[in-house]
């Protein structure tokens, strides 16, 4: 009985207020899509960090015949200097996990592989390629230790931390995520105001019913429940749309576009999308219930 | 500023029938609102059914109101519900089971004399019948107290007498009835206890009284 009564009340309320209900659904859908997207961007950054931080190295490029940096004034690096650098790197264990010496031949074949679609690959010659030590660190954040020890040393052209290049990308993505979160926050605020106003209108349009309910001794809870359910149902529809938008984005944007274009990195899987959905539900329903409840406190007093 | 009610002390026993009379703005409605705990007194106490309403926490107010039925001058029926639906509403919203509602409604409609009209809508029946629906709704919970705020105010004298007979019957069943009214003829005819309020003070409390002592 109670359930059927509640269902009827909620449905009548939603129908009677159809324009405002639609507005609530749309704002919830848009704000939660943004909210969910920002969570997914964060998951993507984490995914890329996990994938790349394992692979990044610090490269110590050595002076060759054609190097023109000031530290290479003495010409190409000598064999003794190379041995000394290797020994110094060995001394930095366990921070230094592995040391790999890349010859000019290897550098050229890697270059050709990386630029195989570009005319650069054709014109590159072996003497343009620098020799380098590829160093893998047990803790990639400790790059400064290597830089301090080797940068500026005669015979060393440059010390490059691949991680720094990645971090620039990650910072850009994090900025994007923050932007999406801020917009989502503003939208959620708008949604809360809209829900509050919707409740005010709903309470007003049913003031006859609610005043009788108060008189015959219906509890506050049972007076407010149909209204709160109304807001929750509208929010649930909105959340469903937002979830659909994320699924759509995962299929069409990530799986069919990004993942086929940028094959060098991994992208978030369905587990990430699924793990975001509960948070969206929580945000959508929580917002609706709290906004509705607070408004009704004012407009449906005992 | 003058308070709506000032230094009022009234005892109403269980099962009594009391008329509350006085000019508009004299404080009758405030008196009834105090009993319903729609209003709290700035000082003093209000006792209803053995409970001090000034100390009653707000979440217990609904429980209090289930023991008090209310009837108004303007009936306050839901236009989109039938006669039976309006009465059932009072039970639905306090969570009464559907089977129980179905068994109670015919009895209470019979008591107020509306048998055969259960499927009519408020705009299809007369004012007197609408007030009977309102009384049925107020009484369906078997409240200890029935409050009526000028229940005959919108009705012609003949219909009013019918309503008064109904209230009298409800009172005989054991319900305390407190009725605010302007209706001289009814008060004079019923010869019940009369409490007159003027300017927020009780100026007369008389058993088997009439509306005005020579004034009207």
């Amino acid at each position: 009985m109670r359930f059927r009564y509640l269902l009827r009340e909620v449905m009548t309320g939603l129908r009677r207020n159809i324009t405002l209900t639609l507005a609530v659904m749309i704002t919830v859908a848009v704000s939660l899509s943004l909210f969910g997207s920002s969570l997914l961007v964060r998951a993507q950054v984490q995914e890329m960090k996990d994938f790349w931080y394992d692979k990044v190295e610090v490269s110590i490029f050595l002076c060759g015949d054609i190097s023109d940096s000031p530290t290479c004034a003495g010409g190409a690096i000598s064999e003794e200097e190379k041995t000394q650098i290797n020994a110094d790197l060995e001394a930095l264990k366990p921070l230094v996990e592995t040391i790999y010496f890349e010859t000019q031949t290897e550098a050229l074949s890697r270059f050709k592989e990386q630029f195989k679609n570009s005319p650069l690959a054709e014109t590159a010659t072996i003497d343009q390629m620098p020799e380098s030590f590829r160093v893998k660190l047990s803790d990639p954040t400790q790059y400064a230790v290597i830089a301090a020890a080797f940068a500026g040393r005669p015979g060393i052209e440059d010390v490059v931390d691949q991680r720094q290049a990645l971090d620039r990308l990650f910072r850009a993505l994090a900025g994007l995520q923050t932007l999406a979160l801020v917009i989502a926050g503003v939208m959620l605020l708008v949604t809360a105001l809209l829900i509050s106003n919707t409740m005010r209108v709903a309470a007003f349009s049913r003031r006859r019913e609610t005043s009788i309910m108060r008189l015959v001794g219906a509890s506050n809870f049972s007076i407010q429940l149909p209204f709160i359910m109304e807001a929750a149902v509208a929010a649930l529809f909105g959340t469903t749309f937002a979830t659909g938008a994320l699924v759509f984005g995962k299929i069409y944007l990530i799986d069919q576009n990004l993942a086929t274009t940028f094959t060098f990195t991994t992208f978030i899987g369905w587990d990430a999308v699924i793990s975001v959905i509960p948070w969206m539900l929580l945000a959508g329903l929580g917002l609706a219930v709290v906004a509705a409840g607070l408004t009704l406190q004012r407009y449906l007093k005992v | 500023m003058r308070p709506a009610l000032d230094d009022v002390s009234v005892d109403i026993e269980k099962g009594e029938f009391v008329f509350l009379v006085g000019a508009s703005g004299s404080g009758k409605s405030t008196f009834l609102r105090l009993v319903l705990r729609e209003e709290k007194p700035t000082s003093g106490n209000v006792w209803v059914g053995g409970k001090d309403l000034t100390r009653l926490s707000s979440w217990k107010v609904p429980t209090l109101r289930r023991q008090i039925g209310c009837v108004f001058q303007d009936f306050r029926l839901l236009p989109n519900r039938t006669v039976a639906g309006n009465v059932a509403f009072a039970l639905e919203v306090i969570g009464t089971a559907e089977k129980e509602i179905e068994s109670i409604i015919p009895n209470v409609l019979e008591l107020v004399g509306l048998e055969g009209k259960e499927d009519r809508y408020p705009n299809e029946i007369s004012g007197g019948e609408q007030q009977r629906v309102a009384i049925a709704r107020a009484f369906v919970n078997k409240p200890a107290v029935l409050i009526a705020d000028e229940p005959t105010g919108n009705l012609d004298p003949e219909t009013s007498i019918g309503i008064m007979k109904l209230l009298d019957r409800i009172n005989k069943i054991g319900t305390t009835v407190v009725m605010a009214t302007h209706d001289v003829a009814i008060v004079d005819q019923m010869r019940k206890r009369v409490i007159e309020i003027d300017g927020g003070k009780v100026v007369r409390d008389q058993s088997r009284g009439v509306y005005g002592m020579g004034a009207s």
Side-chain angles (χ1 to χ4, degrees), chain A residues 92-142:
Chain A
L92 282 172
K93 282 185 175 172
L95 173 62
V96 171
E97 217 170 60
T98 57
I99 306 163
Y100 177 74
F101 182 73
E102 192 180 70
T103 63
Q104 285 181 308
T105 323
E106 284 166 330
L108 182 65
S109 60
R110 188 143 83 135
F111 184 84
K112 288 200 163 169
E113 172 63 26
Q114 271 177 4
F115 293 93
K116 61 182 172 212
N117 297 324
S118 149
L120 275 176
E122 308 301 322
T123 57
T125 57
I126 190 154
D127 56 313
Q128 289 170 332
M129 295 296 129
E131 293 177 314
S132 61
F133 282 101
R134 302 282 163 152
V135 180
K136 201 155 158 28
L137 302 181
S138 55
D139 176 3
T141 59
Q142 294 295 311

Side-chain angles (χ1 to χ4, degrees), chain A residues 43-301:
Chain A
Q44 177 63 29
V45 168
Q46 195 55 50
E47 175 92 19
M48 288 169 85
K49 278 183 178 166
D50 290 346
F51 182 76
W52 284 103
Y53 278 0
D54 254 10
K55 299 181 173 53
V56 294
E57 313 157 317
V58 176
S59 306
I60 304 173
F61 291 103
L62 306 177
C63 294
D65 292 325
I66 59 153
S67 308
D68 53 2
S69 95
T71 49
C72 292
I77 191 167
S78 66
E79 282 307 315
E80 295 82 57
E81 282 171 317
K82 282 187 213 169
T83 322
Q84 185 57 46
I85 291 169
N86 195 32
D88 290 347
L89 283 172
E90 291 284 351
L92 282 172
K93 282 185 175 172
L95 173 62
V96 171
E97 217 170 60
T98 57
I99 306 163
Y100 177 74
F101 182 73
E102 192 180 70
T103 63
Q104 285 181 308
T105 323
E106 284 166 330
L108 182 65
S109 60
R110 188 143 83 135
F111 184 84
K112 288 200 163 169
E113 172 63 26
Q114 271 177 4
F115 293 93
K116 61 182 172 212
N117 297 324
S118 149
L120 275 176
E122 308 301 322
T123 57
T125 57
I126 190 154
D127 56 313
Q128 289 170 332
M129 295 296 129
E131 293 177 314
S132 61
F133 282 101
R134 302 282 163 152
V135 180
K136 201 155 158 28
L137 302 181
S138 55
D139 176 3
T141 59
Q142 294 295 311
Y143 157 75
V145 176
I146 305 291
F150 296 99
R153 194 158 139 172
I156 292 179
E157 187 175 3
D158 202 2
V159 180
V160 173
D161 183 13
Q162 292 177 335
R163 193 187 139 94
Q164 283 189 320
L166 276 179
D167 278 350
R168 265 200 294 279
L169 174 67
F170 291 156
R171 267 201 301 278
L173 285 173
L176 207 64
Q177 186 212 348
T178 311
L179 187 69
L181 257 187
V182 168
I183 299 176
V186 173
M187 286 297 299
L188 283 174
L189 180 69
V190 172
T191 309
L193 295 176
L194 192 59
I195 290 174
S196 163
N197 209 34
T198 307
M199 287 299 107
R200 210 166 59 114
V201 172
F204 186 75
S205 72
R206 266 185 278 164
R207 62 195 184 286
R208 200 193 281 265
E209 278 89 344
T210 51
S211 73
I212 294 170
M213 287 167 97
R214 283 189 322 110
L215 276 175
V216 300
S219 66
N220 251 351
F221 178 74
S222 61
I223 294 177
Q224 293 183 5
L225 193 62
F227 294 93
I228 290 179
M229 290 293 287
E230 233 176 274
V233 167
L236 196 65
F237 273 105
T239 313
T240 310
F241 287 131
T243 309
L246 285 201
V247 169
F248 187 83
K250 160 74 176 144
I251 293 174
Y252 290 97
L253 191 68
I254 296 182
D255 289 354
Q256 297 191 358
N257 253 307
L258 293 176
T260 52
T261 316
F262 303 103
T263 47
F264 58 83
T265 186
T266 56
F267 285 94
I268 45 166
W270 284 106
D271 54 330
V273 179
I274 288 166
S275 70
V276 161
I277 292 172
W279 294 109
M280 290 169 63
L281 269 176
L282 190 74
L285 291 182
L287 182 84
V289 169
V290 169
L294 287 179
T295 312
L296 294 172
Q297 288 298 313
R298 256 189 79 189
Y299 292 100
L300 291 181
K301 274 222 173 80

Side-chain angles (χ1 to χ4, degrees), chain A residues 1-2 4-5 212 215 217, chain B residues 66 72 76 92-93 98:
Chain A
M1 199 297 288
R2 296 282 314 164
R4 256 203 294 160
Y5 165 74
I212 294 170
L215 276 175
Chain B
R66 288 177 198 189
F72 300 93
R76 300 199 188 172
E92 283 173 17
V93 300
E98 197 160 12

